[in-house]
Amino acid sequence: MRRIRFAILAILLGLGASADIARAGEAEAWSALRAGGHVALMRHADAPGGFGDPPGFEVEDCATQRNLSAKGRADARKIGARLRSEGILLQTILASPWCRCIDTATLLQLGPVKTAPTFGNVVVLRDQREALTSGARAVIEQWTGNGNLLVVTHGANIQALTGIQPASGEIVVVRGGSGNGREAVGRLMLD
């Protein structure tokens, strides 16, 4: 019985420590974005249906893809409002060509959105995974703007770049500039 109580206490203490670490990472992420010159890698908002897309989907036809849910659309608007209220300057916004990423980026209402094929879904385009990840890493490493670069992409892409598997709507902040695109500064869970 003592061992069980000890195990439960250890788990609870571990959860508390994890929450403190997450908060510290969040503070660092906000600081980095306020300073500018960083890259915010955002997983698209809630799009039910698992990973990938239905068989026979077409990138050019949103009706054939997994799309944002009502919650996902509301979360994207809420995340955009939070970034605006925090005074985060976004110099450029890129999105994967998938509709759920373009829609998330557009619903943020933070500026014009450009599609960037190198941030295409590495789960669906698994035969191109290395080339896509290498291209995405090059975009991050070449980012030297005063403002921040926001990229709305897929969780698997962010994991391939940083080793972090983000939740829907979560933002992983990395340093822009040569050689810095692999190390996360912090994470923002805003939805």
Side-chain angles (χ1 to χ4, degrees):
M1 188 60 137
R2 274 186 158 176
R3 285 184 183 168
I4 293 172
R5 276 188 246 158
F6 178 76
I8 291 170
L9 179 62
I11 290 169
L12 291 174
L13 289 173
L15 291 175
S18 295
D20 289 343
I21 290 167
R23 279 192 293 276
E26 185 171 336
E28 290 172 350
W30 282 120
S31 245
L33 290 176
R34 285 185 192 102
H38 287 79
V39 179
L41 300 169
M42 179 180 181
R43 181 178 177 185
H44 60 77
D46 183 61
F51 293 100
D53 286 280
F57 88 97
E58 295 176 24
V59 172
E60 301 79 23
D61 184 359
C62 294
T64 66
Q65 299 178 33
R66 284 179 40 229
N67 290 293
L68 296 180
S69 64
K71 177 188 181 325
R73 290 188 295 280
D75 287 347
R77 287 185 201 96
K78 187 170 106 176
I79 292 165
R82 175 74 188 276
L83 290 168
R84 280 191 302 282
S85 77
E86 295 288 340
I88 302 304
L89 173 63
L90 297 175
Q91 190 170 329
T92 302
I93 302 171
L94 301 178
S96 160
W98 268 248
C99 297
R100 58 189 170 269
C101 295
I102 295 168
D103 292 347
T104 297
T106 302
L107 288 166
L108 294 171
Q109 299 178 342
L110 297 169
V113 177
K114 299 176 194 169
T115 57
T118 198
F119 292 100
N121 192 331
V122 297
V123 171
V124 175
L125 303 173
R126 63 184 143 272
D127 59 326
Q128 300 173 43
R129 181 183 178 99
E130 283 185 42
L132 292 171
T133 302
S134 177
R137 198 165 271 127
V139 169
I140 293 166
E141 291 175 354
Q142 292 169 11
W143 183 254
T144 58
N146 289 329
N148 298 294
L149 168 63
L150 172 66
V151 177
V152 181
T153 188
H154 309 270
N157 294 58
I158 296 169
Q159 184 173 29
L161 290 164
T162 67
I164 296 169
Q165 176 60 54
S168 294
E170 184 176 354
I171 297 173
V172 176
V173 179
V174 297
R175 289 178 181 83
S178 182
N180 295 318
R182 298 172 196 250
E183 188 176 318
V185 172
R187 300 165 73 165
L188 301 173
M189 298 184 79
L190 303 171
D191 65 341

